[in-house]
Amino acid sequence: MKRCLYRAEMLEEQEAVFFRSEALSASLAEAMKRLSVDYLSLFNCGGQLFLYYECLESEITPENLLPQAASRLAVWPGGERGRRWAPLTDIFHYQQPVSAEHWERHAATTPYGRIARLKPEAAASYIYYHYQYQEERPGDGDKYGIIGQHENMLFFYAERPDTREPAPYAGKLQTSLRPDNWAEVMEPHFIKWAGAPAGQELWRPLELVLEQRACAGKLGTRNA
């Protein structure tokens, strides 16, 4: 199983209406079933899109899932020529899937996402602390929580309510160096959002645009 996180930018912010359309949902449902993709969520923030999904077999690109979106998205430099979706690197996760049985959801959850901006000079430190945390304390938070990074943008995906259970594996580190004053240590790593509501100065919540699942061959769609 492969967990995928991508970032894109709409040419026009009003194009978000397209991603909520029934026509898109129907074609996406068929593509997910055919390509063995599950638990897809799409989020928006001011015209920037953040995509999460799970490939159950071979890795699938967003271009294969959402070919109709290409004309509505800006081109990102790098990668394939004309690339619209930029992949985010997994820099932190509370757990990683070890089998289909381990990763199965046993209760209804709702996906949510949020974004933050790293100070470029603080990226190495942020990744260092998070790798340390990930490998010292696997299973310490929401089972499905994951942070992806592209350039200095962080995308945090998780599900509510939290799924808390021990990880079925040991971490790669036997140390106990994660700082207890975690929030205090993390704050200097971020560029704050100007004019943000209280409590959202570092992490900005995203709007859920589309949620689609293909569990056990039964497709479910929710347009936000």
Side-chain angles (χ1 to χ4, degrees), residues 130-221:
H130 277 75
Y131 182 77
Q132 187 178 72
Y133 182 10
Q134 172 183 295
E135 298 303 331
E136 286 183 351
R137 305 185 187 184
D140 195 49
D142 175 37
K143 178 179 179 178
Y144 304 103
I146 184 172
I147 298 176
Q149 180 185 359
H150 175 248
E151 298 176 343
N152 76 321
M153 183 69 75
L154 300 174
F155 168 38
F156 177 55
Y157 170 88
E159 298 176 8
R160 290 175 172 165
D162 289 358
T163 299
R164 299 283 184 130
E165 61 184 54
Y169 57 85
K172 297 178 182 178
L173 298 177
Q174 303 304 311
T175 53
S176 300
L177 300 176
R178 177 195 180 277
D180 291 329
N181 57 336
W182 183 256
E184 180 182 342
V185 172
M186 287 300 105
E187 184 170 353
H189 292 78
F190 297 103
I191 300 171
K192 293 185 178 181
W193 298 103
Q200 297 180 16
E201 298 88 352
L202 304 183
W203 286 95
R204 171 179 288 183
L206 297 171
E207 172 197 12
L208 179 61
V209 174
L210 175 66
E211 175 192 5
Q212 193 138 323
R213 303 181 179 187
C215 305
K218 297 181 180 179
L219 291 163
T221 302

Side-chain angles (χ1 to χ4, degrees), residues 64-186:
N64 287 321
L65 286 171
L66 297 161
Q68 314 93 319
S71 63
R72 294 170 166 84
L73 301 176
V75 173
W76 281 103
E80 294 291 331
R81 194 171 187 84
R83 176 180 69 162
R84 262 73 177 179
W85 295 94
L88 286 87
T89 301
D90 172 2
I91 62 167
F92 175 81
H93 48 259
Y94 287 111
Q95 293 200 37
Q96 60 183 353
V98 297
S99 67
E101 292 73 22
H102 164 234
W103 210 243
E104 183 179 353
R105 275 81 168 174
H106 298 288
T109 58
T110 299
Y112 79 96
R114 55 185 182 173
I115 54 173
R117 297 175 299 175
L118 276 178
K119 295 176 181 176
E121 67 275 15
S125 173
Y126 188 84
I127 294 171
Y128 163 78
Y129 278 117
H130 277 75
Y131 182 77
Q132 187 178 72
Y133 182 10
Q134 172 183 295
E135 298 303 331
E136 286 183 351
R137 305 185 187 184
D140 195 49
D142 175 37
K143 178 179 179 178
Y144 304 103
I146 184 172
I147 298 176
Q149 180 185 359
H150 175 248
E151 298 176 343
N152 76 321
M153 183 69 75
L154 300 174
F155 168 38
F156 177 55
Y157 170 88
E159 298 176 8
R160 290 175 172 165
D162 289 358
T163 299
R164 299 283 184 130
E165 61 184 54
Y169 57 85
K172 297 178 182 178
L173 298 177
Q174 303 304 311
T175 53
S176 300
L177 300 176
R178 177 195 180 277
D180 291 329
N181 57 336
W182 183 256
E184 180 182 342
V185 172
M186 287 300 105

